[in-house]
Amino acid sequence: MPELPEVEVVRQSLDKNIKQKKVKKVIIRNRNLRIKIPVNFANSLKNLKIIKVDRFSKYLILVLSNKSYCLLHLGMSGTIHLINFNKENFSTNTSFYNSPTLPKKHNHVEVIFKNIKMVYNDPRRFGFFQIIDNSSLLKKRFAHLGPEPFDSKFEVDYVASFFKGKQRNIKNILLDQNFVSGIGNIYASEILFLCKINPTKKVCLLKKKDILKIIFNSKKVLLNAIKKGGSSIRDFKNTSGKKGDFQRDFKVYEREGLNCKKHKCRGSIKRKIINNRSTFFCNSCQK
Ligand SMILES: [Zn+2]
């Protein structure tokens, strides 16, 4: 499932390729995504320019020239392919998930510009498009979501007051989008490993120094993944579909039974289901 860093890599690629371009035509092959694409969708994009491509949490935001917005969420399996009409398209995927070139099936939406088109592919159809009419509605749309880890609002007093008196475990809280936006299952395990905090620890028991570590490592892990994603996407394009190194960098995620990577730690990585999600942690250095 694409998480914030993957969505950011897609955003960068879209911003580079479709910014300031005018939508010529929209083709919808299947309206039945997580939110059904409305009948007037094509008309709400046609002849508008993409001012820029923004992102909040895992939502891509196409900022349109009439001051409305087109939200795009990739769901569980969505990818965006860019097909350039004047070049050989030897790799079209804007992310490093799934096929590097456009699959034959599940291409539900096409947005066509002068020299390039953007194709939305989604086998499981949990993703969606949504038109938001103005900036105050956009603000409302995201009102239920907490700050991103990079946001200045994600600081010690905010985190401490959220944790106060709560019996919930830290792993579960890191995934709570009301608390912080954009930390998904993979990165929650990675962040807690760097903090040396056991994922089952109740948040009311965490000290100020733990909170500082959580804030620091949340930023660090996500920024690092964005950086890696960016470099792996370049590799990906250069070597015609060879996967980037990104996945090999995980310290705990999907490393069950392997040795802990922390210097001098003799523990091994365990997997545990916490609130229905696989969680990976070291049985020795995470207390
Ligand atoms: Zn360890």
Side-chain angles (χ1 to χ4, degrees):
M1 184 180 355
E3 295 202 24
L4 186 154
E6 290 81 56
V7 178
E8 173 59 20
V9 170
V10 173
R11 184 201 71 76
Q12 289 171 7
S13 185
L14 285 179
D15 198 57
K16 198 171 137 197
N17 286 287
I18 65 169
K19 189 160 83 174
Q20 295 304 327
K21 297 220 159 96
K22 195 183 195 179
V23 178
K24 295 216 137 206
K25 194 179 174 185
V26 180
I27 299 170
I28 298 157
R29 298 211 167 77
N30 189 345
R31 294 186 185 277
N32 297 309
L33 303 183
R34 187 162 99 208
I35 297 173
K36 193 168 180 169
I37 295 181
V39 192
N40 63 354
F41 179 78
N43 280 332
S44 8
L45 284 179
K46 206 178 161 187
N47 293 324
L48 295 180
K49 234 190 216 174
I50 310 292
I51 301 298
K52 62 174 174 172
V53 182
D54 263 337
R55 180 189 58 71
F56 181 74
S57 183
K58 300 205 287 184
Y59 297 81
L60 290 162
I61 307 165
L62 309 183
V63 181
L64 303 171
S65 52
N66 69 347
K67 300 204 159 97
S68 69
Y69 304 87
C70 177
L71 291 193
L72 170 47
H73 196 288
L74 302 174
M76 307 284 281
S77 59
T79 49
I80 296 175
H81 290 260
L82 285 171
I83 318 268
N84 196 311
F85 300 139
N86 301 325
K87 276 190 207 158
E88 213 180 321
N89 291 289
F90 116 123
S91 161
T92 59
N93 196 341
T94 53
S95 77
F96 39 89
Y97 269 93
N98 306 327
S99 163
T101 52
L102 188 67
K104 294 213 159 44
K105 280 184 177 173
H106 310 298
N107 295 317
H108 306 309
V109 179
E110 287 190 14
V111 181
I112 300 163
F113 303 89
K114 193 178 171 197
N115 297 317
I116 200 164
K117 71 174 175 179
M118 168 185 142
V119 181
Y120 181 68
N121 182 282
D122 189 357
R124 296 180 67 183
R125 289 190 280 115
F126 282 103
F128 62 85
F129 287 79
Q130 194 177 21
I131 299 288
I132 306 281
D133 287 335
N134 57 55
S135 59
S136 66
L137 289 173
L138 185 73
K139 222 175 151 185
K140 236 186 213 166
R141 181 67 177 75
F142 294 133
H144 63 294
L145 296 171
E148 288 191 347
F150 321 116
D151 195 321
S152 59
K153 286 183 210 145
F154 191 63
E155 45 74 56
V156 66
D157 291 340
Y158 169 78
V159 176
S161 70
F162 201 92
F163 286 2
K164 204 173 173 191
K166 288 200 172 74
Q167 300 290 312
R168 292 163 63 192
N169 64 66
I170 179 63
K171 166 71 191 318
N172 182 242
I173 284 232
L174 283 181
L175 296 186
D176 182 344
Q177 305 295 302
N178 286 310
F179 166 56
V180 59
S181 288
I183 298 181
N185 196 43
I186 297 174
Y187 298 109
S189 285
E190 294 295 306
I191 290 163
L192 291 174
F193 173 75
L194 293 184
C195 297
K196 298 189 193 175
I197 296 172
N198 191 289
T200 59
K201 185 118 177 179
K202 287 179 182 171
V203 290
C204 60
L205 300 174
L206 292 169
K207 306 268 186 325
K208 189 178 174 187
K209 69 172 179 18
D210 299 319
I211 290 175
L212 288 168
K213 279 196 267 179
I214 289 166
I215 294 169
F216 177 82
N217 287 313
S218 298
K219 294 183 211 289
K220 182 176 166 180
V221 164
L222 293 190
L223 286 172
N224 194 34
I226 292 169
K227 221 168 79 190
K228 286 275 158 52
S231 61
S232 102
I233 202 166
R234 274 195 297 276
D235 296 347
F236 184 79
K237 295 207 163 171
N238 290 342
T239 57
S240 170
K242 190 176 151 281
K243 265 202 175 169
D245 280 344
F246 167 75
Q247 306 257 341
R248 254 183 272 149
D249 275 354
F250 292 138
K251 301 260 193 303
V252 286
Y253 188 77
E254 288 193 335
R255 294 193 68 246
E256 186 182 9
L258 299 175
N259 291 337
C260 178
K261 286 188 177 181
K262 194 150 272 168
H263 183 58
K264 286 187 175 165
C265 177
R266 309 192 71 163
S268 67
I269 307 307
K270 301 286 173 212
R271 175 173 169 267
K272 186 173 186 166
I273 305 291
I274 298 178
N275 304 91
N276 292 320
R277 307 295 301 271
S278 278
T279 305
F280 298 85
F281 63 100
C282 171
N283 63 354
S284 171
C285 62
Q286 287 181 255
K287 310 274 187 216

